């Protein structure tokens, strides 16, 4: 399954493009105000996914880091914080390990993508929030090529094709 996404400046242009595709017997979807939202269409919010993954990873990595920190402190016998005593040093070691686990959950869980931004879904969501409209065509490659030819007449801001990975 292939996807074609075109960004159009306003509703009139989006409706005209939709009708032109319909005349060619190409089924498409309009995303924007008054039509489907990104969530209804299934356009994944990368920020939400990154938050979920980071939280999921933190559930496992923070306790693991805490116990790893205590274990490291017990094995090495370091007396880094003399004011804390022997037990306090082990607890501080555990807390530092938990902090390392939290950092790991951010890096491995997708928090970097949350902070920096990644993927194509976010720019499309931003364009929808700015009042633009998206025309999405799903189908085999020949259909998306034909749709590209039709949509180019409307001079979209952006037109991008995607090929979904084939399943074996």
């Amino acid at each position: 399954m292939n996807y074609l996404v075109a960004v159009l400046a306003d509703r009139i242009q989006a409706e005209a493009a939709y009708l032109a595709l319909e005349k060619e017997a190409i089924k498409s979807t309009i995303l924007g105000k008054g039509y489907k939202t990104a969530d209804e269409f299934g356009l994944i919010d990368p920020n939400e996914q990154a938050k979920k993954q980071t939280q999921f990873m933190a559930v496992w990595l923070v306790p693991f880091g805490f116990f790893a920190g205590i274990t490291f402190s017990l094995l090495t016998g370091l007396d880094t914080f003399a004011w804390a005593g022997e037990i306090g040093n082990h607890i501080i070691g555990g807390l530092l390990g938990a902090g390392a686990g939290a950092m790991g959950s951010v890096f491995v869980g997708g928090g970097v993508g949350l902070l920096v931004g990644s993927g194509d879904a976010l720019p499309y969501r931003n364009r929808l929030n700015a009042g633009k409209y998206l025309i999405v065509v799903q189908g085999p490659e020949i259909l998306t090529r034909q749709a590209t030819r039709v949509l180019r007449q409307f001079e979209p801001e952006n037109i991008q094709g995607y090929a979904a990975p084939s399943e074996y």
Side-chain angles (χ1 to χ4, degrees):
M1 179 72 68
N2 294 318
Y3 295 88
L4 179 70
V5 181
V7 180
L8 299 165
D10 57 28
R11 184 181 189 136
I12 295 168
Q13 203 177 17
E15 288 175 352
Y18 179 83
L19 291 174
L21 288 169
E22 202 172 65
K23 284 181 185 174
E24 297 283 329
I26 300 172
K27 188 174 175 157
S28 61
T29 305
I30 300 177
L31 278 68
K33 288 182 183 165
Y35 295 97
K36 279 190 173 182
T37 65
D39 292 328
E40 289 172 341
F41 182 73
L43 196 60
I44 296 169
D45 184 358
N47 292 339
E48 190 62 35
Q49 290 299 105
K51 283 179 190 174
K52 284 181 187 177
Q53 187 66 18
T54 299
Q55 289 171 348
F56 175 75
M57 294 296 287
V59 166
W60 297 102
L61 290 177
V62 171
F64 178 79
F66 180 78
F67 290 113
I70 288 176
T71 303
F72 179 79
S73 180
L74 286 168
L75 290 174
T76 60
L78 291 175
D79 191 22
T80 308
F81 305 101
W83 54 267
E86 186 178 345
I87 302 285
N89 270 310
H90 301 318
I91 291 173
I92 291 172
L95 292 174
L96 291 173
M103 286 192 323
S105 70
V106 169
F107 291 123
V108 175
V112 173
L114 176 64
L115 298 173
V116 176
S118 62
D120 287 340
L122 190 59
Y124 288 136
R125 283 180 168 273
N126 290 340
R127 286 184 170 144
L128 287 171
N129 291 339
K132 311 280 184 185
Y133 289 83
L134 303 180
I135 299 281
V136 181
V137 177
Q138 300 173 347
E141 185 178 351
I142 193 162
L143 185 71
T144 57
R145 282 186 187 173
Q146 184 181 3
T148 301
R149 184 180 44 78
V150 172
L151 288 170
R152 285 197 194 273
Q153 305 172 63
F154 297 94
E155 297 177 5
E157 286 182 18
N158 184 28
I159 189 163
Q160 180 71 44
Y162 300 93
S166 58
E167 295 178 17
Y168 293 94

Coordinates of all heavy atoms in Angstrom, one line a residue, residues 68-94 96:
A68 N 20.7 -1.4 40.6 CA 22.1 -1.5 40.0 C 23.0 -0.6 40.8 O 24.2 -0.9 41.0 CB 22.1 -1.2 38.5
G69 N 22.5 0.6 41.1 CA 23.3 1.6 41.8 C 23.7 1.1 43.2 O 24.8 1.3 43.7
I70 N 22.7 0.5 43.9 CA 23.0 0.0 45.2 C 24.0 -1.2 45.1 O 25.0 -1.3 45.9 CB 21.7 -0.5 45.9 CG1 20.9 0.7 46.3 CG2 22.0 -1.4 47.1 CD1 19.5 0.3 46.9
T71 N 23.8 -2.0 44.1 CA 24.7 -3.2 44.0 C 26.1 -2.7 43.7 O 27.1 -3.2 44.2 CB 24.2 -4.1 42.8 OG1 22.9 -4.5 43.1 CG2 25.1 -5.3 42.6
F72 N 26.3 -1.7 42.8 CA 27.6 -1.1 42.5 C 28.2 -0.6 43.8 O 29.4 -0.8 44.0 CB 27.5 0.0 41.4 CG 28.8 0.6 41.1 CD1 29.7 0.0 40.2 CD2 29.1 1.8 41.6 CE1 30.9 0.5 39.9 CE2 30.3 2.4 41.3 CZ 31.2 1.8 40.4
S73 N 27.4 0.1 44.5 CA 28.0 0.7 45.8 C 28.4 -0.3 46.8 O 29.5 -0.2 47.4 CB 26.9 1.6 46.4 OG 27.4 2.2 47.6
L74 N 27.6 -1.4 46.9 CA 28.0 -2.5 47.8 C 29.3 -3.2 47.3 O 30.1 -3.6 48.1 CB 26.8 -3.5 47.9 CG 25.6 -3.1 48.7 CD1 24.5 -4.0 48.5 CD2 26.0 -3.0 50.2
L75 N 29.4 -3.5 46.0 CA 30.5 -4.2 45.4 C 31.8 -3.4 45.5 O 32.9 -4.0 45.8 CB 30.2 -4.6 44.0 CG 29.2 -5.7 43.8 CD1 28.9 -5.9 42.3 CD2 29.6 -7.0 44.4
T76 N 31.7 -2.1 45.3 CA 33.0 -1.3 45.2 C 33.4 -0.8 46.6 O 34.5 -0.6 46.9 CB 32.8 -0.1 44.3 OG1 31.7 0.7 44.8 CG2 32.6 -0.6 42.9
G77 N 32.4 -0.7 47.5 CA 32.7 -0.2 48.9 C 33.2 1.2 48.9 O 33.9 1.7 49.8
L78 N 32.8 2.0 47.9 CA 33.3 3.4 47.8 C 32.6 4.2 48.9 O 31.4 4.0 49.2 CB 32.9 4.0 46.4 CG 33.7 3.5 45.2 CD1 33.1 4.1 44.0 CD2 35.1 3.8 45.3
D79 N 33.3 5.1 49.5 CA 32.8 6.0 50.5 C 32.8 7.4 50.0 O 33.5 8.3 50.5 CB 33.7 5.9 51.8 CG 33.0 6.5 53.0 OD1 31.8 6.7 53.0 OD2 33.7 6.9 53.9
T80 N 32.0 7.6 48.9 CA 32.0 8.9 48.2 C 31.5 10.0 49.1 O 32.0 11.2 49.1 CB 31.2 8.8 46.9 OG1 31.7 7.7 46.2 CG2 31.3 10.1 46.1
F81 N 30.4 9.8 49.8 CA 29.8 10.8 50.7 C 30.0 10.4 52.1 O 29.1 9.7 52.7 CB 28.3 10.9 50.3 CG 28.1 11.1 48.9 CD1 27.7 10.1 48.0 CD2 28.2 12.4 48.3 CE1 27.5 10.4 46.7 CE2 28.0 12.7 47.0 CZ 27.6 11.6 46.1
A82 N 31.1 10.8 52.7 CA 31.4 10.4 54.1 C 30.3 10.9 55.1 O 30.1 10.2 56.1 CB 32.8 11.0 54.5
W83 N 29.7 12.0 54.8 CA 28.7 12.5 55.7 C 27.4 11.7 55.8 O 26.6 11.7 56.7 CB 28.3 14.0 55.3 CG 27.9 14.1 53.8 CD1 28.7 14.4 52.8 CD2 26.6 13.9 53.3 NE1 28.0 14.4 51.6 CE2 26.7 14.1 51.9 CE3 25.4 13.5 53.8 CZ2 25.6 13.9 51.1 CZ3 24.3 13.4 53.0 CH2 24.4 13.6 51.6
A84 N 27.2 10.8 54.7 CA 26.0 10.0 54.7 C 26.2 8.7 55.4 O 25.2 8.0 55.7 CB 25.6 9.8 53.2
G85 N 27.3 8.2 55.7 CA 27.5 6.9 56.3 C 27.5 5.8 55.3 O 27.2 6.0 54.1
E86 N 27.6 4.6 55.8 CA 27.7 3.4 54.9 C 26.3 3.2 54.2 O 26.3 3.1 53.0 CB 28.1 2.2 55.7 CG 28.3 1.0 54.8 CD 28.8 -0.3 55.5 OE1 29.2 -0.1 56.7 OE2 28.7 -1.3 54.9
I87 N 25.3 3.2 55.0 CA 23.9 2.9 54.4 C 23.5 4.1 53.5 O 23.0 3.9 52.4 CB 22.9 2.8 55.6 CG1 23.2 1.6 56.5 CG2 21.5 2.6 55.0 CD1 22.9 0.3 55.9
G88 N 23.8 5.3 53.9 CA 23.5 6.5 53.1 C 24.2 6.5 51.8 O 23.7 6.9 50.8
N89 N 25.5 6.0 51.8 CA 26.2 5.9 50.5 C 25.5 4.9 49.6 O 25.5 5.2 48.4 CB 27.7 5.5 50.8 CG 28.6 6.6 51.0 OD1 28.6 7.6 50.2 ND2 29.4 6.6 52.0
H90 N 25.1 3.8 50.1 CA 24.4 2.8 49.2 C 23.1 3.4 48.7 O 22.7 3.2 47.5 CB 24.1 1.5 50.0 CG 25.4 0.9 50.5 ND1 26.5 0.8 49.8 CD2 25.7 0.3 51.7 CE1 27.5 0.2 50.5 NE2 27.0 -0.1 51.7
I91 N 22.3 4.1 49.5 CA 21.1 4.7 49.1 C 21.3 5.8 48.0 O 20.7 5.9 47.0 CB 20.3 5.3 50.3 CG1 19.8 4.1 51.1 CG2 19.1 6.2 49.8 CD1 19.1 4.5 52.4
I92 N 22.4 6.6 48.3 CA 22.7 7.7 47.3 C 23.1 7.0 45.9 O 22.8 7.4 44.9 CB 23.8 8.6 47.8 CG1 23.2 9.5 48.9 CG2 24.4 9.5 46.7 CD1 24.3 10.3 49.7
G93 N 23.9 5.9 46.1 CA 24.3 5.1 44.9 C 23.0 4.6 44.1 O 23.0 4.7 42.9
G94 N 22.0 4.2 44.9 CA 20.8 3.7 44.3 C 20.1 4.9 43.6 O 19.5 4.7 42.5
L96 N 21.4 7.6 42.4 CA 22.1 8.0 41.2 C 21.9 7.0 40.1 O 21.7 7.3 38.9 CB 23.6 8.1 41.5 CG 24.0 9.3 42.4 CD1 25.5 9.2 42.8 CD2 23.7 10.6 41.7

